[in-house]
Amino acid sequence: MASARQVLCLCALLCVPRVRCEPIRYSVAEEGESGSVVANVAEDAGLTPAQLSARRARIASADGRQHFRLERATGRLVLAERLDREEMCGRSLTCTLAFELLLENPLQFFRVEVAVEDVNDHSPVFPEERVTFQIPETSDPGSHFPVEAARDLDVGSNSIQAYTIAPGNDYFSVSPRIKGSSDIYVELVLEKPLDREEQPEVLFSLIATDGGSPPRSGTTQIHIIVLDANDNAPIFTQEVYVVQVLENAPAGFVVLRVVATDPDVGLNGDISYGFSQAINASHLPFTIGAISGEIRVTKPLDFESKEKHELRVRATDGGGLSALCKVLVEVVDVNDNAPEVVISSFSSPLPENTEPGTVVAVFAVRDRDSGVNGEISCALEDQLSFSLRPAYKNYYELVTVTTLDREETAQYLVVITAEDAGSPPLTTTQTLTVDISDVNDNAPVFNQTSYTMYVRENNIPGVLVGAVSAADSDAGLNAKVTYSLRPVYPTERDPCSCISVNSENGHVFVLRPLDYEQVRQLEVLVSATDAGSPPLSTNVTVRLHVVDENDNAPLVLHPAQDSSPPSSELVPASAEVGDLVTKVVAVDEDSGQNSWLSFHLLRATDPGLFAVGSQNGEVRLRRPVTERDAVKQKLEVLVRDNGRPPLSATAALNVLLLNGLSQEHLPQQELAVQDEDSSLTIYLIVSLVFVSLLFLTSVAAFVACKVCKRKELKGGHMLYGTGNLQSSLAAGAAAGTLPHAYCYEINLTTGSGNSEFKFLKPILPSVPPQHSGTGRGVADTEDFPPIPNSMGDAALDISGTPSVGHFNGLPFN
């Protein structure tokens, strides 16, 4: 649409009378860069740059293309794009671009013509990069061969000015010709006769050069192929050919290849071969290839019937010219008969216990040739178990040299090679397959040196716990394995009756339930026996480990639960928070986590007064004793293991709170206690008697401990009842759960309203623990914490001797 408006505008302007008649002419070289200055059109039009801007000067062309651009500020005419003269004007000698310079107020325009001048920016180009001519070698000198001329888009002096040949040669020259008024073509002129046999091809370059500065050129390759003429006859490389051929040459064997050459080419140089017509070719044991010239064997040759064959061969080219040669074929005698191997006897299979030196086969060898070609030697290929032994004349024996083992090699391929002494020697091979039969010489072998199996206690009768497996390298019945149980020790008559093994597959079963606490491991011998004669067997040890299950509840050792009446623990009113009252000792016959015990206070007369250690079973005071607390406290401790599901047991404890003891109220308090538990008075009386007897011993031990400055032992404020304390401690020590013995001092103060029991630190060193059995499942035991040494008048000995307490130097019950 923009170009249409410009055309309409130009037509309207042409109708305006204010037009300059003479155009403004300029010239510019092609290929100028965009923005290059052509001329100052404002100055040539008699205008100033200010007028160009005021009157809105612009450029308009008839075709609408803007090759130029007007700079209003300077009045210069510059290139709007790169100009290509050949694209715009082709090969025209002149190339002019016309346009109008338009101005407004008043309306005025100037015609401007710009001549685009040619520059040498194109090289000559030939239509083809390579031109081929086929010229007979009989062509006469002076012959002309036209070549398409090169084209150059430039004009004038920049167009093609000359043609040359490079490199120069003696056969051709170049001559440009003008056809008509403008068509130019080039001719190649033959200067001397061609000889194809001397030079079959001529190669050179044809160069076209223009007149530019600097000049440009274009090149095409000229390929001259000289065509042959039949002016040469074939020639054999030899006049007489002599060749030797073996009499056993097969049909098709190439005896000789005759060669004839012809310097001509094409049909004139094509040579065909054939036997001369003077020879009857049908009786000859040879044939000749018409193209290749190869003489081949067609029939068997026999040196004994004919030693030499004389042949005549003719070579003919395509032009009819020919040549003859003679071929002498000498037949050579060869060793054409191979030895023969004839088997007389052969034994197979052989037992694997065959003795070395046993004869396996007898055979004879023979060769139809004579002389050295008939001399035969025999050997075995890669064989260490057999050897050949000459027997008589041409007979040989095949014998064993080593002990045979079927498990190592079940079959032998014995290759017998017979070779004559001919040149080259001929050989014959005979393969004998020797099978080895089995003998029961291998006992079964277990796949493990021993077996370890596991079964949970209380198992189901007949449960499968594993399998044994043995293999026998023998074959057949000798490799059939059966399994059975054998006594572990020779003194045993029968194997373990609780284990069974399947005789066919070796599966091991446990026939009755097992108890881990009674039997933790069983060991049996399993025998694998083959079916050979005599049978061979092998034994292997099978260890069966019984895996523990939680099937035993904890057993309370202390306090004893079967005593009647139950013992009571004494707690003085002065006992402090955290003091040890007693310790529940329990064991579990199970193992592992099934024997891990935990202790819990199940119920108590006053649950807030006592606390039970969950790991060690120690019963300690949780708060101080008050007068409001019941004198007799009953506790029930739950002992639970860590099995799945857990099992538990309970321990019942009686604790007496010794609150408000004094000289005045002691009888009344003793009567009250006697009413609650009549046995308590008896236990106290017995304890006071023993304390009296051991008083001196206690004093001596106390002094000795002070002198030695022994370390304070851990312990707690603990008061034991006088019931079956000795039996309980003995039972705990036997079970390995009470590792220490303690001796505590009890002092009753005077002058106070109430008498008190005060716990002192131990006055005897700890006794090392005496472990019994494995000790597995016993509750954790620790040294009691040290007890303050506040009083030292009386002592309560719990190291295995009943203790007696003293109240102001008087025994009490």
Side-chain angles (χ1 to χ4, degrees), residues 174-201:
V174 61
S175 174
R177 295 295 180 91
I178 299 176
K179 184 178 181 182
S181 59
S182 60
D183 292 340
I184 299 177
Y185 65 96
V186 182
E187 288 183 341
L188 297 178
V189 181
L190 182 63
E191 299 292 340
K192 60 179 288 187
L194 300 173
D195 187 354
R196 194 208 63 79
E197 287 74 29
E198 179 181 348
Q199 188 172 352
E201 294 182 349

Side-chain angles (χ1 to χ4, degrees), residues 14-80:
L14 292 177
C15 300
V16 178
R18 309 187 88 182
V19 179
R20 180 174 174 172
C21 297
E22 290 295 328
I24 301 173
R25 292 185 174 88
Y26 301 109
S27 64
V28 64
E30 66 172 330
E31 302 298 334
E33 295 292 336
S34 176
S36 301
V37 178
V38 178
N40 194 322
V41 67
E43 182 180 345
D44 295 337
L47 301 171
T48 63
Q51 290 177 324
L52 295 178
S53 299
R55 299 178 64 181
R56 301 174 61 185
R58 64 180 183 275
I59 293 174
S61 61
D63 57 0
R65 294 187 61 181
Q66 297 295 329
H67 299 290
F68 303 94
R69 185 175 70 252
L70 177 64
E71 295 181 350
R72 294 178 182 177
T74 59
R76 294 185 302 180
L77 183 67
V78 298
L79 293 177

